[in-house]
Amino acid sequence: MATTISSFCRLVNLRTSSSPFRRKVLLNSFPTRHLHTPDDPPLTAQKPSFTFSPEALDPDERHTYDLLSPDEKLQYESESRLLHEHMTSREVESELNRRVSQAAHDISSKLPRPPKESLIKEGLFAMGESDPQNTGEDEDFDGDDISSTAHGELEQHREMREYARIIAWEMPLLSKLAKPFTPPPLTHPLRFRYTNYMGETHPAASKVVCEFCTRDLSPSPLSEAQRVKFTKLLGSRYNLSTDLAKISCESFETQAQNKRYLGDLVDTLIAEAQNSEDMFEDVPVDTRHVRVRKRNLIAPFPEAWKLTDERREYLERKWGENRRKEIEKGERQLLVDGVAVIEEAAQAIPAREGRGALTQPSTAAMKGKGKGRTMRAR
């Protein structure tokens, strides 16, 4: 606080030292201000008016003022007005408030503070205890409660639950953005295929594959000779059996760049195929790369074995005749009952004693070299 007052006095003394008589500062002629607090009404931008009055001076200052000449009195009053404006300016007032606040903070920081009671936070292990303060706080969690493999399983479970929430709450909202599928027109023969790895970075994510049929190229379709030259330019990228050409590009960083390159490459091939200077008539079409898949390796089903309506009527008629013949044999007792035959044979053949009885192997202990071993007697 003393430092602030000393700085204030030096500031005032510096302002008044320019007078010819080095007079004492007339602090009583200036209105005093207190520090602004939140409870005080808001300050206005209007400054208080200054009116110099010799009656406000003390006896010594009034005696000095009376000894001055009229010009010196005017100079005295003008310097007093300038000093008042300087002291009531915003810069000086904010500087005084800052220094007073800093001095108050320095004094309050040096005052002794009452000791705080050491409170121990009740942890998880102290729940339900009669005196949780004696149990103490929980230890810092370092993620070592379970193994790293178990933490990986939990992370995978959280990820699956996140995708389940997306499927349950966000996916149904995509139905509002659904649009009916419209097949591409004939003026768009090129088909592009992209690969997405679901948010993961992969070196093949920028790859783009372009497929098209040589007979579908438009708006300027190729003649047969130009189409043959076009297939020769494609080389192994053309499948003769399906008339399908497939080219790919992954030389650039983004899919858009690779797609643009493939489109320009197709235009270049078409322009070269339409060039009649050299039609590659002496170059044969290379089909070594074409592999025809052998299908229908199983022999076809015979036509005679297929169940038609006529075949079904014939089988039903034949099955009916067989059932009628069995009924007639049953009435004449011409059918052989296998169960009855077995029962009659069992009664005719007398049972032999011991026939079919299992003989139990007998064991005997052998002496000499076979001592201690059990031999089975035959």
Side-chain angles (χ1 to χ4, degrees):
M1 194 67 179
T3 306
T4 305
I5 296 175
S6 302
S7 302
F8 175 74
C9 293
R10 286 196 301 270
L11 182 63
V12 175
N13 189 18
L14 179 63
R15 185 68 185 87
T16 57
S17 61
S18 60
S19 60
F21 302 100
R22 295 187 177 273
R23 295 176 294 274
K24 187 168 60 176
V25 181
L26 305 178
L27 296 179
N28 295 331
S29 61
F30 304 108
T32 58
R33 287 193 177 188
H34 62 280
L35 297 178
H36 182 72
T37 60
D39 298 334
D40 296 337
L43 298 176
T44 58
Q46 185 179 4
K47 295 183 179 180
S49 59
F50 173 76
T51 303
F52 179 77
S53 176
E55 286 77 7
L57 303 176
D58 56 7
D60 296 337
E61 294 173 350
R62 180 60 182 275
H63 178 70
T64 304
Y65 178 76
D66 293 338
L67 295 177
L68 298 177
S69 62
D71 296 337
E72 291 178 349
K73 289 182 179 180
L74 294 175
Q75 184 180 0
Y76 187 89
E77 293 177 2
S78 63
E79 290 182 358
S80 300
R81 185 177 293 102
L82 293 176
L83 181 60
H84 172 78
E85 293 177 356
H86 175 73
M87 296 302 297
T88 56
S89 62
R90 291 182 178 274
E91 292 78 7
V92 175
E93 187 175 0
S94 61
E95 180 67 19
L96 289 176
N97 292 336
R98 188 187 65 80
R99 294 195 180 187
V100 171
S101 301
Q102 183 65 29
H105 175 72
D106 295 340
I107 294 174
S108 61
S109 61
K110 295 179 181 179
L111 295 177
R113 298 182 179 180
K116 295 183 179 180
E117 298 180 1
S118 58
L119 298 178
I120 300 177
K121 186 178 180 180
E122 183 178 350
L124 178 64
F125 294 100
M127 295 178 62
E129 298 291 337
S130 58
D131 191 3
Q133 297 295 331
N134 294 334
T135 305
E137 298 182 359
D138 297 339
E139 298 180 356
D140 295 336
F141 179 69
D142 297 332
D144 55 350
D145 54 340
I146 54 179
S147 61
S148 58
T149 305
H151 276 290
E153 293 289 339
L154 289 177
E155 186 65 25
Q156 184 179 5
H157 183 70
R158 296 188 191 100
E159 185 177 2
M160 293 176 62
R161 288 176 63 89
E162 180 181 0
Y163 282 116
R165 288 191 293 269
I166 293 175
I167 293 172
W169 301 105
E170 297 184 13
M171 288 297 183
L173 301 177
L174 297 179
S175 60
K176 300 178 181 179
L177 306 177
K179 298 180 180 179
F181 173 73
T182 56
L186 297 178
T187 56
H188 296 73
L190 303 183
R191 297 184 296 273
F192 296 94
R193 188 178 72 238
Y194 310 92
T195 305
N196 188 6
Y197 291 89
M198 300 297 292
E200 298 181 2
T201 57
H202 196 274
S206 61
K207 182 179 180 180
V208 180
V209 181
C210 178
E211 297 180 355
F212 58 92
C213 295
T214 58
R215 290 183 172 86
D216 297 339
L217 293 177
S218 58
S220 58
L222 303 176
S223 62
E224 185 61 24
Q226 293 175 353
R227 193 186 68 83
V228 173
K229 181 182 178 181
F230 187 79
T231 57
K232 293 178 181 178
L233 293 174
L234 288 173
S236 60
R237 299 170 182 84
Y238 174 71
N239 192 344
L240 184 62
S241 60
T242 59
D243 190 28
L244 185 66
K246 181 188 295 184
I247 56 178
S248 62
C249 179
E250 53 182 342
S251 303
F252 302 97
E253 297 181 357
T254 61
Q255 294 179 349
Q257 292 175 328
N258 292 323
K259 180 180 178 180
R260 179 62 181 272
Y261 173 77
L262 292 177
D264 296 341
L265 182 61
V266 173
D267 294 339
T268 305
L269 291 174
I270 293 175
E272 184 65 27
Q274 292 176 349
N275 186 7
S276 60
E277 294 181 0
D278 187 3
M279 298 302 294
F280 294 174
E281 295 177 354
D282 56 338
V283 178
V285 178
D286 189 6
T287 59
R288 292 174 296 177
H289 61 281
V290 179
R291 296 181 181 179
V292 180
R293 296 182 180 180
K294 296 181 179 180
R295 298 182 179 179
N296 299 329
L297 299 178
I298 302 175
F301 195 80
E303 295 291 336
W305 293 2
K306 294 182 179 180
L307 188 61
T308 60
D309 296 338
E310 299 176 355
R311 180 70 176 174
R312 187 179 293 105
E313 293 177 358
Y314 169 75
L315 292 176
E316 290 178 355
R317 186 171 60 253
K318 192 169 185 178
W319 291 338
E321 293 177 359
N322 292 336
R323 284 193 297 270
R324 187 173 59 256
K325 289 180 181 180
E326 289 180 359
I327 292 173
E328 292 177 356
K329 288 181 180 181
E331 293 176 355
R332 298 177 185 179
Q333 297 182 356
L334 298 177
L335 295 177
V336 179
D337 190 358
V339 178
V341 172
I342 293 174
E343 290 180 354
E344 291 177 359
Q347 294 177 2
I349 300 175
R352 298 179 181 180
E353 295 181 1
R355 184 73 176 177
L358 298 177
T359 58
Q360 299 293 335
S362 59
T363 58
M366 303 299 293
K367 295 182 180 181
K369 293 183 180 180
K371 185 177 181 181
R373 293 187 301 173
T374 302
M375 302 299 292
R376 176 172 295 180
R378 296 182 181 179

